[in-house]
Amino acid sequence: MISMILKLYKILVTNENVFTQIRENFKKGPKGIIKSIFLILVAIYIFCVMIGMYYLYMSGTYNYLAGNGNQHMMPFVSMMVAVAVIMFFGFTSVASSYYTGKGDEFLMSLPLTPGQFFGAKFTVSFIADAIFGVGMFTISSIVYGYNEGLLVNPLFYLGFLVSAVAFSVTAVFVIYLLFILILYFVPALRKKKLLTGVATVLLILFCMCYGFMNSSVSISFSNPEFVSEKIGSSIDMIFEFSSKVPVFMYISGALNGKIIPILILAALGCVELFVLVPLVGKMYVKSLNGFSDEKTKKISSEKAEEVIKKDVRSGSVFHALFVRDFRNVVREPAFFANGPLFVYLFPVIFLLSFGIGFIAAGESIDGLLVSFKTKIAKLTPEDLNSIKYYTALIGAAFVIFCGTFANLATTSFSREGKSLNDLKAMPVKFDMIVKVKFWHALLYIGISNVVMINIMAAAYAILKIPFSLTDFITICFMMVIFSVSVSVFLIFIDMFIDTINPKLNWENPIAATKQNFNVLWSMLISMLTIVILLLLIIFVLPKKMISIVILSILYVIISAPVGAGYFRYAEKRLQDM
């Protein structure tokens, strides 16, 4: 059974991950080596920032506990924080990949037992979601072990390994069990859109928590006591919980090298992996019934006539392909949550992080607004002209950032996966398929502009900025033409990246987005483009609206031949995909 689960695991993760691609790139000559080294450096930078931030919190936690004589609670606190992180990412991941459509339907058609199928899905979630939690537990364990002199005790490391595996398995199993029980007994909830909504809410909560942590770290540099106060209030809540459930405190003693807690955690992990997971497999498979988007039901003769009249209406082939591509993204949680959702969430995340930072620092939003209005009232006409210029520029940068990070262009063909052959088999020209992908990506640039215009209109009304309606319309117009001209160029580049190296061999839709190197290259190119443009406009070109117009025209001139060349290349390349 274990060997079959491992084989299914390789299928579900497409046997291709970041580490595999980095290793393979070292075999492809100088270009591949440079690419791998660059990716490794980016990963090291990101991890160093995250590790430094969490180390600061865990050091503050230990100092707070030690100051009150409660340092023995550190293992329990470490476990609770790690479990909370795994539970959060686990809920988000499981909600996005609980049912993956054709991939799951294909695997369920194979002669597999429910235990084998669910075991493979569980293994994928466990390995993907437990990484962050175990990493955080490692940092806090090192902090605790170093201060308590446990790093020389071999049982400390044994307790750490057993604890990390046991609580990770427990957290992921509890997540799946909750989803299975709810979907098993309430069939009406077996809808992919509902799971997408759950993942969206959790993502918003994560962004709020991250914004608070980031703001807290920034505040701590000027007010070191701030972190201690926040950590202290959180520790007090955990201490109250532990006093009500002492068994958790006893089990967390495994990190101190205590044999009995280690044995209890080892037994718990084994029971969950080898007994409960196979048993729950049957309920999991049954809970998938009804997830398919294709449903058959009887309708009245009047309704049938209405449907027939609606379906026989003539429409263009382009419209049909565009609607197909749009619905494929919206209906698949993995595609929507890791792409277009960012267009709507990023402004919310930014505003929440900004607001939480001021609230955490003890600032008043009303006081901030009053101070801002006072400063605006003192501005000269020259200053107001500069504000118009920078508002259009920053708004365009946000639009470009949100629109391109929707990842529609850089996953144009990767999203199709194995169904690309079905698309190519349709009686449509290949150039029309490519154009549909282009306009679909451009659609979210338009949506980003609409979102940004609404935010600017709200700020214009709330802050009572002394701009005329003509000035506001001019700012919005400049933002739109600049963002669209630059985004069109970036869309061509992103689609070219995905056309050269599409990731089509996947069973789990997440592989086409989160595990796709094309997305990383798109993000890096977009960020580099935005930075270069901002530096060019701020420090080189005159700070007038004409500079934005000139750059927009320049990008249109560049994009025209680039786009024409890409469409010709993509039409030929599509035949060989």
Side-chain angles (χ1 to χ4, degrees), residues 98-228:
Y98 190 88
Y99 174 77
T100 59
K102 293 182 179 179
D104 283 351
E105 297 289 346
F106 168 73
L107 291 177
M108 286 190 293
S109 67
L110 298 177
L112 303 172
T113 64
Q116 291 173 337
F117 179 58
F118 176 63
K121 296 277 287 191
F122 179 85
T123 304
V124 172
S125 298
F126 170 72
I127 294 178
D129 302 328
I131 292 177
F132 288 102
V134 173
M136 296 172 72
F137 183 61
T138 303
I139 296 172
S140 57
S141 298
I142 292 174
V143 171
Y144 175 69
Y146 174 78
N147 287 281
E148 294 294 314
L150 296 173
L151 297 180
V152 295
N153 185 359
L155 290 178
F156 168 79
Y157 299 98
L158 177 62
F160 163 76
L161 292 174
V162 173
S163 301
V165 173
F167 71 66
S168 300
V169 170
T170 302
V172 177
F173 179 76
V174 169
I175 293 168
Y176 263 109
L177 185 61
L178 290 174
F179 272 98
I180 290 172
L181 291 176
I182 294 173
L183 297 175
Y184 183 85
F185 291 106
V186 189
L189 299 179
R190 298 173 189 174
K191 298 178 181 179
K192 295 175 70 174
K193 292 182 179 179
L194 180 63
L195 295 183
T196 303
V198 173
T200 302
V201 172
L202 291 173
L203 186 60
I204 294 174
L205 292 176
F206 168 75
C207 294
M208 293 176 62
C209 294
Y210 180 80
F212 174 74
M213 288 184 64
N214 189 37
S215 301
S216 300
V217 172
S218 301
I219 296 171
S220 67
F221 288 110
S222 58
N223 184 13
E225 297 180 355
F226 175 79
V227 175
S228 299

Side-chain angles (χ1 to χ4, degrees), residues 45-341:
Y45 171 76
I46 294 174
F47 280 115
C48 286
V49 172
M50 295 176 64
I51 290 172
M53 183 184 300
Y54 190 66
Y55 175 80
L56 177 64
Y57 271 91
M58 285 298 101
S59 297
T61 300
Y62 179 84
N63 293 333
Y64 177 84
L65 292 172
N68 297 324
N70 294 321
Q71 59 267 33
H72 63 280
M73 284 188 59
M74 186 67 177
F76 175 74
V77 173
S78 302
M79 287 187 181
M80 290 298 100
V81 173
V83 168
V85 171
I86 295 174
M87 293 286 284
F88 175 83
F89 282 106
F91 270 110
T92 306
S93 175
V94 172
S96 301
S97 61
Y98 190 88
Y99 174 77
T100 59
K102 293 182 179 179
D104 283 351
E105 297 289 346
F106 168 73
L107 291 177
M108 286 190 293
S109 67
L110 298 177
L112 303 172
T113 64
Q116 291 173 337
F117 179 58
F118 176 63
K121 296 277 287 191
F122 179 85
T123 304
V124 172
S125 298
F126 170 72
I127 294 178
D129 302 328
I131 292 177
F132 288 102
V134 173
M136 296 172 72
F137 183 61
T138 303
I139 296 172
S140 57
S141 298
I142 292 174
V143 171
Y144 175 69
Y146 174 78
N147 287 281
E148 294 294 314
L150 296 173
L151 297 180
V152 295
N153 185 359
L155 290 178
F156 168 79
Y157 299 98
L158 177 62
F160 163 76
L161 292 174
V162 173
S163 301
V165 173
F167 71 66
S168 300
V169 170
T170 302
V172 177
F173 179 76
V174 169
I175 293 168
Y176 263 109
L177 185 61
L178 290 174
F179 272 98
I180 290 172
L181 291 176
I182 294 173
L183 297 175
Y184 183 85
F185 291 106
V186 189
L189 299 179
R190 298 173 189 174
K191 298 178 181 179
K192 295 175 70 174
K193 292 182 179 179
L194 180 63
L195 295 183
T196 303
V198 173
T200 302
V201 172
L202 291 173
L203 186 60
I204 294 174
L205 292 176
F206 168 75
C207 294
M208 293 176 62
C209 294
Y210 180 80
F212 174 74
M213 288 184 64
N214 189 37
S215 301
S216 300
V217 172
S218 301
I219 296 171
S220 67
F221 288 110
S222 58
N223 184 13
E225 297 180 355
F226 175 79
V227 175
S228 299
E229 294 175 359
K230 296 299 179 182
I231 289 176
S233 59
S234 302
I235 296 301
D236 292 339
M237 294 175 58
I238 297 176
F239 184 79
E240 182 180 356
F241 172 76
S242 65
S243 62
K244 297 178 180 179
V245 191
V247 65
F248 291 118
M249 278 292 295
Y250 179 76
I251 293 175
S252 64
L255 198 60
N256 291 318
K258 296 180 180 180
I259 297 298
I260 295 180
I262 292 175
L263 294 176
I264 293 175
L265 288 176
L268 177 64
C270 291
V271 169
E272 290 172 339
L273 286 175
F274 301 108
V275 179
L276 297 181
V277 169
L279 288 177
V280 174
K282 294 182 180 180
M283 295 181 65
Y284 171 74
V285 172
K286 289 183 179 179
S287 70
L288 297 180
N289 295 333
F291 262 104
S292 177
D293 293 331
E294 298 180 3
K295 299 179 176 63
T296 302
K297 61 180 180 180
K298 292 184 178 296
I299 59 177
S300 63
S301 57
E302 293 80 7
K303 184 66 177 178
E305 184 177 354
E306 180 183 343
V307 172
I308 292 173
K309 288 182 179 180
K310 179 180 179 181
D311 288 346
V312 297
R313 287 184 302 179
S314 60
S316 67
V317 177
F318 178 88
H319 177 266
L321 289 176
F322 187 90
V323 171
R324 170 193 175 276
D325 204 54
F326 179 82
R327 288 180 175 175
N328 283 347
V329 172
V330 174
R331 290 177 175 176
E332 176 52 59
F335 293 159
F336 185 74
N338 292 288
L341 183 61

